[in-house]
Amino acid sequence: MTVHLKPITLVDWLPCLRLQVHQSQRRLIAPNYVSLLQSTHPRAYPCKICASGRMVGFLMYGEFQYREELRWFVSRLLVDRRYQRRGYGRSAMLAVIERLRTQHGARAVWLSYSPDNAIALKLFHSLGFEPVGEASHGEILVSLVL
């Protein structure tokens, strides 16, 4: 499964806003309009997840302040409901991990997710992320040492 992470441009905003998860997943991830607004942060990298020339999801990563140090975080991962369960989320995570390691020299990747999100738990655990504590809003904070 090959995906490409491409920068989100203004042209991509409307198609990105149309991406949706299943109804039961909506409480587990921020709405896309919030993500796009947050993507204006100067150290945020919003990406569209593309497969076979189509936008199948959204991913955002960045170098953000956490407890007095800058850390590389994957702050969003969303695969549209029409493309879920095809390996796109896993492929996108592998691509961003490689990008952070090779292009940004990251020594670790951090992210957080809702403890109710069993799919995220399974994915991140299978990629080697380890729990390191609790993040804001009761989310589980995990990291992967590169």
Side-chain angles (χ1 to χ4, degrees):
M1 178 64 50
T2 302
V3 299
H4 301 282
L5 301 179
K6 297 181 180 181
I8 291 277
T9 65
L10 286 177
V11 173
D12 299 316
W13 278 46
L14 190 55
C16 186
L17 288 170
R18 290 183 180 135
L19 296 172
Q20 292 185 13
V21 294
H22 291 284
Q23 179 70 31
S24 63
Q25 298 169 320
R26 290 189 184 154
R27 62 181 177 76
L28 302 174
I29 188 166
N32 286 353
Y33 72 87
V34 172
S35 297
L36 288 173
L37 289 171
Q38 290 173 335
S39 76
T40 62
H41 186 284
R43 289 191 304 265
Y45 297 85
C47 302
K48 57 186 172 183
I49 303 169
C50 296
S52 302
R54 293 182 186 195
M55 183 188 304
V56 299
F58 174 79
L59 183 142
M60 184 166 58
Y61 68 95
E63 190 177 33
F64 304 115
Q65 188 78 29
Y66 181 79
R67 295 190 178 165
E68 301 181 20
E69 73 178 77
L70 288 173
R71 295 182 182 179
W72 286 100
F73 277 85
V74 175
S75 54
R76 292 292 187 280
L77 173 63
L78 178 148
V79 175
D80 186 82
R81 67 180 177 222
R82 296 171 294 168
Y83 303 104
Q84 291 181 2
R85 303 184 59 85
R86 297 184 189 182
Y88 294 130
R90 177 183 252 326
S91 294
M93 284 300 300
L94 290 170
V96 76
I97 290 166
E98 182 63 13
R99 180 180 289 185
L100 288 169
R101 188 182 66 74
T102 60
Q103 294 180 14
H104 298 286
R107 296 186 318 212
V109 180
W110 300 76
L111 58 85
S112 64
Y113 62 91
S114 167
D116 297 336
N117 193 339
I119 295 169
L121 169 66
K122 182 178 176 182
L123 172 62
F124 301 139
H125 180 73
S126 74
L127 293 170
F129 282 84
E130 296 285 334
V132 293
E134 187 175 313
S136 60
H137 309 292
E139 291 188 339
I140 297 169
L141 181 65
V142 295
S143 71
L144 173 67
V145 177
L146 304 179

